[in-house]
Amino acid sequence: MSRSGARPRRRSNLNLGAEQAEADKQFLRTAFYESDDYATISDKDDHHCFVIARTGSGKSAALQQLEEDFPEHVVRIMPEDLSLQYITNLRVMHYLDSLDVTLDPLFIALWKHVLVVELIRHRYKVDSPIAKANFMSNLREKMRKDPGKRAALDYLEQFQDRFWIDADQRVKEVTEKFEESINREAKGKIGLSGQVDATIGSTSGDMFSSEVRTELADRFQKIVNETQMARLNQMIKVLDEDILESRQNFTYVVIDDLDRDWVDEKLTNALVRCLFRAVLDLQRVNNLKVIVALRTNIFEHLDFGRRSGGQEEKFRSLALRMRWTSGELEELVTERLRAAASKHGLVFNSIRDILPRTNRTRGDALGYMLQRTLMRPRDIIAFFNEALSNSSGGQLSWEDIRAAEEPYSRERVLALRDEWKTSYPEIDKVFHLFEGVTLPLSHAAFTRILDDAITLPGDPDFAGAEWVQRLTAKMWSNPSGTWTDWYGPLVSLLYNIGFIGCMTGSRTEFQYVQTSPDFADRTRNLESITEFGIHPAFQMGLDVRIDNSRR
C-alpha cells in the first residue's frame, strides 16, 4: 500500500515488439503488415528494383518477409561476404584512381559475376565439385546446337573446381587476376617498366608527367574495359533462356545492408552505382527480380548524372521510395498489438482499444502520437512501447502518453544523429543549437542560430567542418548573394532529414518533409518562408517551448 492508501499501479508487460522488425522474428512471422510497398516489392511483374528508404522505414523487414513468403525462391547476397573491403583497399585500385582510370567496368563485371554464379548455385544446388561437373555437363548438352552459348560456358569453366567455393573467394580470385594484368602491362608493354614497376600500387600516379600519365591511363583503361567480358554478358542470355527459363524457377535476389561502413565513401558510391548498372542489364532475364535496398542519403549521393552515362532518369524511375500513410501505420501497430496481446490472453480489435477516447479538449490520441513521428514504423512502435512501459494493464491514458513523450523524444534526437552522422559528422551539435528555443522561430531568430552553426568549424575538435563549409561555401565566395544563396543548402539539409518545418506566407500550417518531400528543393519556396519550427518528434527532447499566442 502507498501512504495514500491507494494500490500502486502495476506496470504492463505489454509491448509492440522490437523497433527493428527484422530483428524480432516472432513479430515478423505473426504480425507483419503487408503494405502497398511490400506488394510492389513482391510483385514478380513489377519492375521497381531499387528500394529506397530512410532508417526505420521497414525496408529490411520487408525483404526478410519476402524470404519467409518465398523460401525456395530468394537468394540473399550479403555485401560483407563479398570481400568488397578487400577490393577497395587494394593499392592498385587507388593507384588507378590517381591516374583517373575509370574503374566502373571492372566493378560492373564483378557484380554480374557474383549475381550470375550465385543464381546458378541456387538453381542447381551447386555446392561441390561433383555438383558443378554435373551441372556443366547437362547445360552443355542442352546447348550443343548453339555455339555462342557453349562459348559462354567457357567463362564458368575457368573456375574449374573453385566454382563452388564461397563468393568472397571467387571475388578475390577475379580481382587478383585483374591486378596481375595491370602489373604485367606496367612491366612489359610500357617503355617505363622500371619506373612504373617501382610505383605501381604503392605511389600515386601524380608523380608522372602529363604525357606519361596519359599513356598509362589509356593502357590501364583498356584492361579495365576488357573486364566487361563478352562471355559474361552472354551468360545473362543463358540465364534467361536456359537456367531461369520457366516461371516455376522465378527467383528474387535480395541485396541489403549496402549502407554499412565497409569502404571509404568514394569507392562505396562507385561500387553501389555499378551494382545499379549491373541490375539494369539483368532486367533482361524474365524470371528474375533483383531487389537492392538502400538508405535515402546514400542513393542521393551516388552521382548518377555524371557517372552513369545518362541513365539517372532510368534509375530513379525504377526506385521505390518507401513511405507510410497514417492509415497504414495504424494498421501496422494494430497487427502488432493483436499478436502481443494474444501472449497475455488478451483480445484487442484495434490499437484504439488501448488509447484514451478522442475529445474536444485533447483531440485524437493516435493522431497526436503520429504527429510526433517521421511517419515510420520504428518511430510509432518506440512511442507506444515507451508509453506502455509505464501503463496500467496495457491501457493508456493521456498522462501515460505525455509522460512517455520526453524520453521518446530524446531517443529520436539520438536516432536522427545516428542516421546521418556518417554523412554529416557531429550533426547533433547543430541540433542542440536549437535547445530551449521558443517556437515558432522568426526568420531573423532562425538565421542567428544558423550563424552559430556556421561558426562550428572554428572549433578544431569539431569533426563536421568539411560538410558545414561545403554547405555554406557561397556565403564566402559570393558576398553579394541572397539569403537563399547563403543559407539555402543548410536549410534544405535540416528540412530534408526531417528536423525542421517551414511556414510560408501562403499557408497556415508548417510544411514537413513527410508530407511535402520536395519543398526545400525549390528556391522560390525557400524565399517565401516566414517562420521555422522544429519537428514535434524532437521538441521535448530539446526542451523546446511553444508560444501559443503566435501559433
Side-chain angles (χ1 to χ4, degrees):
M1 283 283 188
S2 65
R3 290 185 180 179
S4 63
R7 290 182 178 274
R9 297 204 317 169
R10 293 183 60 189
R11 290 190 175 186
S12 169
N13 292 321
L14 188 67
N15 68 72
L16 302 190
E19 296 168 27
Q20 293 177 306
E22 69 274 17
D24 196 333
K25 293 184 179 180
Q26 178 182 356
F27 274 92
L28 194 63
R29 284 194 299 267
T30 61
F32 179 78
Y33 172 69
E34 295 190 11
S35 66
D36 289 344
D37 284 341
Y38 179 73
T40 299
I41 290 169
S42 59
D43 187 343
K44 296 176 181 178
D45 297 315
D46 186 277
H47 293 291
H48 287 90
C49 47
F50 309 123
V51 180
I52 312 301
R54 292 187 58 172
T55 299
S57 296
K59 57 182 174 58
S60 295
L63 296 182
Q64 190 163 328
Q65 184 63 33
L66 191 71
E67 292 185 270
E68 292 283 334
D69 290 344
F70 305 97
E72 300 300 318
H73 296 271
V74 176
V75 177
R76 181 178 281 270
I77 295 177
M78 305 296 290
E80 59 264 35
D81 294 338
L82 296 179
S83 296
L84 298 178
Q85 191 160 6
Y86 163 81
I87 295 168
T88 55
N89 282 341
L90 283 173
R91 291 183 299 178
V92 68
M93 298 298 180
H94 294 277
Y95 176 80
L96 294 175
D97 184 59
S98 73
L99 289 170
D100 296 324
V101 173
T102 301
L103 294 169
D104 285 16
L106 170 66
F107 292 156
I108 293 170
L110 279 171
W111 281 117
K112 287 181 179 179
H113 168 80
V114 167
L115 291 165
V116 167
V117 174
E118 289 304 306
L119 282 163
I120 291 172
R121 280 163 48 92
H122 176 266
R123 169 73 174 83
Y124 294 100
K125 306 297 185 287
V126 179
D127 56 3
S128 69
I130 294 175
K132 186 254 184 178
N134 291 337
F135 150 71
M136 291 296 296
S137 176
N138 293 336
L139 206 55
R140 283 197 178 279
E141 175 64 22
K142 190 175 182 179
M143 299 175 183
R144 66 182 186 277
K145 296 182 179 180
D146 191 327
K149 289 182 177 180
R150 289 204 312 272
L153 293 185
D154 293 339
Y155 172 78
L156 301 180
E157 286 287 16
Q158 66 181 299
F159 295 99
Q160 301 178 11
D161 293 341
R162 300 182 302 281
F163 180 89
W164 57 276
I165 61 177
D166 290 340
D168 65 325
Q169 294 299 316
R170 279 185 272 109
V171 169
K172 284 183 179 180
E173 185 172 359
V174 172
T175 308
E176 287 167 359
K177 287 183 178 179
F178 168 77
E179 187 176 20
E180 290 171 5
S181 298
I182 293 294
N183 282 319
R184 190 163 51 246
E185 181 73 16
K187 291 177 180 178
K189 293 189 177 181
I190 302 176
L192 300 165
S193 57
Q195 181 185 9
V196 177
D197 187 33
T199 59
I200 188 77
S202 60
T203 303
S204 170
D206 293 339
M207 67 169 287
F208 300 120
S209 67
S210 59
E211 292 81 3
V212 173
R213 278 177 55 85
T214 299
E215 183 179 1
L216 288 171
D218 288 346
R219 288 188 177 272
F220 292 147
Q221 189 68 65
K222 182 179 179 181
I223 295 174
V224 173
N225 293 345
E226 287 174 351
T227 59
Q228 290 262 37
M229 292 168 267
R231 288 179 300 175
L232 177 56
N233 289 327
Q234 183 72 8
M235 274 304 303
I236 296 178
K237 182 179 180 182
V238 173
L239 199 64
D240 181 35
E241 297 179 358
D242 303 287
I243 296 175
L244 301 179
E245 75 280 13
S246 69
R247 196 67 164 178
Q248 69 183 26
N249 295 323
F250 190 97
T251 304
Y252 300 93
V253 175
V254 169
I255 305 175
D256 196 7
D257 293 329
L258 283 164
D259 44 14
R260 299 280 175 88
D261 300 332
W262 37 266
V263 290
D264 66 77
E265 182 179 356
K266 182 179 180 182
L267 288 173
T268 295
N269 289 347
L271 280 164
V272 176
R273 189 174 60 246
C274 291
L275 169 60
F276 278 41
R277 292 173 66 179
V279 170
L280 282 184
D281 286 347
L282 282 162
Q283 286 210 317
R284 290 179 284 161
V285 182
N286 289 311
N287 293 310
L288 172 67
K289 186 170 185 177
V290 183
I291 303 167
V292 180
L294 198 63
R295 262 178 32 197
T296 302
N297 62 312
I298 302 294
F299 181 74
E300 296 300 337
H301 283 84
L302 289 182
D303 194 16
F304 286 122
R306 195 162 58 89
R307 298 295 186 96
S308 63
Q311 293 181 307
E312 179 177 12
E313 185 176 350
K314 182 175 288 187
F315 288 132
R316 294 188 181 278
S317 69
L318 295 174
L320 171 66
R321 293 182 178 270
M322 291 187 71
R323 294 192 177 99
W324 292 79
T325 66
S326 56
E328 288 177 325
L329 289 175
E330 180 174 352
E331 291 184 40
L332 180 144
V333 290
T334 290
E335 290 285 347
R336 282 179 158 252
L337 174 64
R338 289 171 180 160
S342 66
K343 295 189 300 182
H344 297 274
L346 302 172
V347 177
F348 294 110
N349 295 317
S350 166
I351 193 68
R352 294 182 181 274
D353 292 347
I354 66 170
L355 290 169
R357 292 184 179 180
T358 300
N359 59 56
R360 292 184 179 181
T361 304
R362 292 180 166 177
D364 174 55
L366 182 60
Y368 179 90
M369 296 178 75
L370 287 172
Q371 286 172 0
R372 283 147 182 80
T373 73
L374 298 185
M375 297 300 288
R376 301 179 297 190
R378 187 173 299 177
D379 297 339
I380 192 62
I381 291 168
F383 202 165
F384 266 104
N385 283 346
E386 187 66 45
L388 285 166
S389 68
N390 290 308
S391 68
S392 175
Q395 291 292 327
L396 295 178
S397 66
W398 273 106
E399 288 69 27
D400 294 326
I401 295 171
R402 294 287 172 80
E405 186 174 350
E406 185 173 351
Y408 159 79
S409 183
R410 286 198 301 268
E411 287 296 322
R412 291 308 94 196
V413 174
L414 294 175
L416 192 67
R417 174 203 65 186
D418 292 342
E419 180 180 358
W420 296 97
K421 66 183 180 183
T422 300
S423 299
Y424 305 99
E426 293 199 282
I427 193 172
D428 53 308
K429 289 193 174 181
V430 177
F431 301 158
H432 287 285
L433 293 174
F434 292 87
E435 206 155 10
V437 300
T438 298
L439 300 178
L441 285 164
S442 67
H443 205 283
F446 184 78
T447 301
R448 286 194 293 272
I449 295 175
L450 293 188
D451 286 337
D452 290 339
I454 292 167
T455 64
L456 286 172
D459 180 353
D461 295 326
F462 177 61
E466 187 278 329
W467 67 264
V468 172
Q469 291 168 347
R470 171 168 45 85
L471 293 180
T472 59
K474 288 186 177 180
M475 179 172 291
W476 317 112
S477 63
N478 183 15
S480 60
T482 65
W483 184 92
T484 304
D485 293 331
W486 292 353
Y487 298 99
L490 193 52
V491 173
S492 295
L493 169 65
L494 295 175
Y495 180 89
N496 288 332
I497 68 175
F499 183 68
I500 66 169
C502 301
M503 176 86 76
T504 63
S506 60
R507 292 183 176 270
T508 58
E509 295 181 350
F510 278 97
Q511 302 296 299
Y512 291 103
V513 69
Q514 291 74 38
T515 53
S516 302
D518 301 324
F519 175 86
D521 297 334
R522 296 183 175 89
T523 300
R524 69 167 181 259
N525 288 344
L526 297 178
E527 292 173 342
S528 65
I529 298 172
T530 56
E531 292 180 323
F532 296 85
I534 306 298
H535 193 285
F538 314 112
Q539 289 177 6
M540 290 195 74
L542 295 171
D543 196 23
V544 166
R545 274 49 169 189
I546 305 295
D547 183 353
N548 290 309
S549 67
R550 295 180 56 203
R551 184 167 58 179

